[in-house]
Each structure stands twice: as structure tokens, then as C-alpha cells.
Amino acid sequence: MTDVLTVHGGHPLKGDISVRGAKNLVSKAMVATLLGESPSTLRAIPQIADVRIVSGLLELHGVHVTGGDALGELHFDPTNVETAHVADIDAHAGSSRIPILFCGPLLHRLGEAFIPDLGGCRIGERPIDYHLEVLRQFGALVEKRPEGLRLAAPQRLQGTKLTLPYPSVGSTEQVLLTAVRAAGLTELSNAAIEPEILDLIAVLQKMGAIISVDTDRVIRIEGVDSLQGFTHTAMPDRIEAASWACAALATHGEIYVEGARQPDMMTFLNVFRKIGGAFEVDDAGIRFWRGGDAQRSVVLETDVHPGFMTDWQQPLVVALTQTRGLSIVHETVYENRLGFTQALVDMGATIQLYRECLGGLPCRFGQRNFKHSAVVSGPTPLRGADIEVPDLRGGFSYLIAALAAEGTSTVRGIDLIYRGYEQFLDKLDAVGARYERG
Ligand code: EPU
């Protein structure tokens, strides 16, 4: 099959789709299965490439993974966890950022870990310095080698008191997955508290962990000697849900997203309404459509939870090109997540990028030469174009742009979108999108 989609835009997307478990929880809960002494079952697992990558890595380490991902339920038996061969792990290098989260569980189970070079979307530098510092503070020895990282725990890891320089999602997960079986108490300040992290904490609590979350971004973990398996249904994917909402708005359509949950999406829903989107919440999902066409502008900055997620930013920017008003988007989580807008400009959008922190408080990237603020003026008709998928969220956003544009677009590199959007071609069919493969 080719990696190219020919999209015929200019038609409203209308229909029903559903979302399953959140990519950014499911992959972490899968890693947590390594910590148990008995098997775990995870439900609502989406059919996405990241799940296959993490399954492969778990199997390399001796976890027996069964169940079909088409059914959305996988079982993990970690009874025979073993050290994987460096060459096998290395074959997974470059495919995902999840391997870094194997460190704590492997150090507890085996006393050592090898982590290949990390992949993931190219949306900024994405260093792992916080992760390594965290692991060192627990007592791990970390050695950087040309082929990756070699870690060792000469003795049981020790609970510790830590403060993150920034409330990083992955580093908070690193602390959780390491502290639950470390000796004694761990106190983490400036932690990330995204709903996916709270769901991971729920998974760990089911396993026997003792974790409390305070209101001031402080998480306390009392280490325990052993953990058991869990049965858990993953929280729904709020990034995918918001992406389809933006598609409805940008194409003047109407999409019902079964599985979308209001409490996880409050911040998005406020912005969606402000820019002219309408929605209706029921017990099973949320219906999204375009409301009135009055002048609507927003000044928005992406932020850690409970702020506006950086992963919502890219689809939202496409929607902003199709709504009336002049809006400011200040990206404060990643320094390089607005580069995808150049292709939108080539399609006819009016978007200007700035190095300054526009519209809000100065962020970490101010005065550092990163074009991380955008001014978007809409509505501007988009023209079909030949576009290459730059990263996961940017890729889905280009699809939205192509579907909103007049004429035909060629979208190349669509395989990347499978990393985080389950069966998106089937879902495009369900909302009446016009496209062909190749
Ligand atoms: N950071 C550092 N050093 C570190 C770790 C992070 O400087 O050691 C910086 C990053 O460079 C970034 C900021 O801290 O500027 C936040 O990064 P974070 O650690 O929170 O991101 P992550 O854990 O690598 C996860 C999601 C991302 C999502 C971010 C923010 C997964 C697998 N990925 O990444 O999701 O954007 O949190 O919410 O959970 C996506 O789904 O498309 C995606 C990129």
C-alpha cells in the first residue's frame, strides 16, 4: 500500500466516529505491566503503531503478550522477564520515545537496562536530561554509550526528594514507574498532572502502589516491596477527539465522537466555543459542529494541564484559518511546534510566526530565537496542494486542511498518522471524506 493520500476537499465532514484508549496512557500502562508479579489486562487499546512498538519491546524482555488488538484487549504476563539482546532492542531504536520509561521497571526486575536512541516526533529538541537526573537520584548508574544508554542498579533503588525543572509528562511518569518499588518515600515537586498521568496512577494503585497527589503539583509515593497485575480500561483519547472536533469546524461539518469525555476536554471545549464551534455532550460522547459565524478571536497559549494541550494546537490552528477573526497562539511546551504552518500558508492561510512570546506571559523560549508564537487571520480559503506529513499531530492537521481546501491535495507520508490515530481512513469514510489511496 502506498503512503500517499489524494484528498478531494471542500466537502463538510458529517458522521459518527469513536475513540478508544489514549495513546499517551496506553503505552505507559503497558510498561507498568513489567512491574507486576502476576499478569495484567488492559482494555480499550487502540490499533495504533505505538501499541505494536511497545508490545514488541515488552516481548523482547520476556513479557508474554496475548489477545488481539482488534478486540481492544491485551493480556501481559511478566512472569519471565529477562534481559533482552542489545541488537534486538536496537532494532527498535528511532521508533518511539517510550523505551526511556522501561528504565525504572527493568532496574527493579533485573538490576540493569539498555535503552536505544529515542525516536518520536521532531517537534523540538526533546532531550532526556530530566529522566537521567531522576534515575541517578534514585541511585541508578547511567552510562551513555554510542549505541544507547546502559543503566545499572547495584542495589535496590532508594526513594528520594525531587523537583522537576518543568512539569514534564514523561519525567513524571519516569518517577512514578521507578518510585513505586523503590525503598521508602519519594516526593516529587513540580510534577505533571495530566489526566493520562492520573490514569497511570490509578493503574499503579490497582497494582498495590501507594501514591497521593496534592493540589500543588506534589506527588508522594510510598515504595512497596512488590506489585501485582491489574485490569484496567484506558481513558479515552482526548487528543484524537479534539482533532476530529477541529475537522468538523474547519470543514463546516458535524461529527459525533463517541467516547469523548467532557471533564478531560474542558479547556479545549472553552476555546472551541470561543472560536465559533458548537458542541453537545451526552453520556456516550460529544457532538461537534460549527456554530454562528460572528467575529471570534482567541489569545491562546499552550501549557501543561490544566492548560490548553500542545497536542491540540496543530489541529486548532487549521480550524482557526477557517474561522472569522485574528487569533494569537503562543506555543510554550515545545520550541518548534509551529513549523508545520508553512505548508498551510502555501495553501492560502494567513499565518505569521514570531520569536516573541505574544499574547501572554514570557515562556522558556522567549529571547531564544524560536518562532513559537503565531498570529492566524481567518477565514482564508485554502487551495489543494502537495504536502508531506511532518509529524503525528501535524500530519492529521494537514489532512484536515486538505479536506477543508478547495480542489485536490496530495498528502504524502500518511503512515506516520497511524502512530496515534486508530483506523483513521475508516473514520474518514464514516464522515464522508472524499479521497483515494495513492
Ligand atoms: N523536556 C526536557 N528534558 C527532559 C524531558 C522533557 O527539557 O528530560 C522538555 C521537552 O523538551 C518539552 C517539555 O519538557 O519542551 C515537555 O516535554 P514532556 O516530557 O512533557 O513530553 P513527553 O513526555 O516527551 C508527552 C507526550 C507528547 C505530549 C507531551 C506534552 C507521550 C508519548 N508523548 O511527551 O505527545 O506532547 O507529553 O503533553 O506521552 C503526541 O502525542 O503527539 C505527543 C507528542
Side-chain angles (χ1 to χ4, degrees):
M1 281 216 255
T2 82
D3 195 13
V4 178
L5 218 59
T6 303
V7 178
H8 308 288
H11 309 285
L13 298 183
K14 289 189 176 168
D16 298 2
I17 57 118
S18 63
V19 294
R20 292 203 281 183
K23 163 176 104 61
N24 292 349
L25 172 273
V26 165
S27 47
K28 326 299 171 60
M30 288 172 72
V31 177
T33 65
L34 272 172
L35 288 163
E37 277 166 27
S38 53
S40 294
T41 298
L42 187 59
R43 300 196 172 121
I45 298 186
Q47 281 182 286
I48 51 173
D50 270 21
V51 165
R52 284 189 284 281
I53 292 166
V54 184
S55 287
L57 280 166
L58 286 170
E59 278 171 339
L60 283 180
H61 287 94
V63 177
H64 189 47
V65 183
T66 51
D69 58 359
L71 295 173
E73 180 169 311
L74 289 177
H75 310 283
F76 306 86
D77 185 348
T79 330
N80 297 312
V81 169
E82 57 189 37
T83 307
H85 296 293
V86 171
D88 293 338
I89 310 177
D90 214 24
H92 283 74
S95 55
S96 155
R97 292 182 62 75
I98 302 299
I100 191 75
L101 295 178
F102 277 63
C103 293
L106 288 178
L107 288 172
H108 287 304
R109 291 296 299 252
L110 306 168
E112 60 176 7
F114 171 74
I115 308 299
D117 283 342
L118 297 180
C121 288
R122 295 181 302 275
I123 48 183
E125 215 26 59
R126 304 194 81 180
I128 53 167
D129 50 337
Y130 305 167
H131 291 258
L132 301 187
E133 183 52 30
V134 159
L135 289 160
R136 286 194 183 101
Q137 288 206 40
F138 280 104
L141 303 176
V142 182
E143 193 192 335
K144 284 190 194 169
R145 295 194 178 173
E147 68 278 16
L149 291 173
R150 165 94 37 208
L151 295 102
Q155 58 194 29
R156 185 173 177 192
L157 297 177
Q158 299 292 310
T160 180
K161 202 167 170 167
L162 304 142
T163 302
L164 290 177
Y166 181 80
S168 142
V169 169
S171 314
T172 300
E173 292 159 344
Q174 184 75 263
V175 171
L176 289 169
L177 291 165
T178 307
V180 283
R181 278 193 56 189
L185 187 71
T186 294
E187 185 184 283
L188 174 65
S189 300
N190 208 22
I193 47 160
E194 269 58 12
E196 290 79 7
I197 289 182
L198 299 186
D199 211 27
L200 179 65
I201 291 175
V203 166
L204 294 168
Q205 189 180 49
K206 285 177 176 178
M207 298 177 82
I210 302 170
I211 304 172
S212 61
V213 183
D214 292 354
T215 46
D216 50 356
R217 289 195 180 279
V218 175
I219 299 181
R220 290 189 179 80
I221 306 123
E222 288 179 43
V224 295
D225 291 339
S226 68
L227 294 168
Q228 300 308 315
F230 63 85
T231 297
H232 189 73
T233 301
M235 64 168 281
D237 199 311
R238 64 197 176 113
I239 307 175
E240 188 186 354
S243 303
W244 288 105
C246 292
L249 182 54
T251 64
H252 295 248
E254 180 174 330
I255 300 181
Y256 180 71
V257 183
E258 189 193 338
R261 240 176 24 186
Q262 183 186 17
D264 308 326
M265 298 183 69
M266 291 272 184
T267 312
F268 174 83
L269 294 173
N270 286 335
V271 171
F272 191 73
R273 179 170 277 158
K274 278 194 210 171
I275 65 170
F279 58 89
E280 188 178 77
V281 181
D282 66 30
D283 288 346
I286 307 180
R287 179 175 305 283
F288 297 96
W289 70 95
R290 191 182 175 107
D293 225 8
Q295 173 90 17
R296 312 282 178 114
S297 301
V298 278
V299 177
L300 171 79
E301 77 185 14
T302 63
D303 204 351
V304 294
H305 188 77
F308 190 90
M309 288 185 94
T310 170
D311 304 292
W312 290 331
Q313 177 262 107
Q314 286 157 302
L316 187 92
V317 164
V318 177
L320 286 175
T321 69
Q322 300 307 302
T323 57
R324 191 169 302 282
L326 189 73
S327 294
I328 293 175
V329 177
H330 179 201
E331 169 62 59
T332 78
V333 180
Y334 291 112
E335 68 275 25
N336 190 21
R337 213 175 194 174
L338 287 170
F340 81 107
T341 55
Q342 182 55 50
L344 302 178
V345 171
D346 294 343
M347 293 173 80
T350 305
I351 305 174
Q352 271 117 24
L353 299 188
Y354 295 88
R355 292 186 171 80
E356 290 75 15
C357 299
L358 294 188
L361 297 171
C363 78
R364 296 173 296 150
F365 308 133
Q367 316 294 333
R368 287 185 54 206
N369 249 349
F370 299 118
K371 289 190 173 174
H372 68 294
S373 295
V375 176
V376 188
S377 165
T380 43
L382 299 179
R383 299 178 295 274
D386 193 328
I387 34 185
E388 173 89 30
V389 166
D391 59 70
L392 173 61
R393 307 296 166 196
F396 193 83
S397 306
Y398 281 1
L399 275 187
I400 301 175
L403 289 158
E406 285 303 325
T408 298
S409 295
T410 306
V411 187
R412 302 178 192 279
I414 59 158
D415 280 357
L416 200 54
I417 300 175
Y418 285 110
R419 275 198 48 218
Y421 290 88
E422 180 179 38
Q423 294 176 323
F424 69 92
L425 292 182
D426 293 347
K427 294 181 189 178
L428 285 178
D429 291 340
V431 295
R434 302 184 191 178
Y435 69 90
E436 298 97 53
R437 296 220 57 163

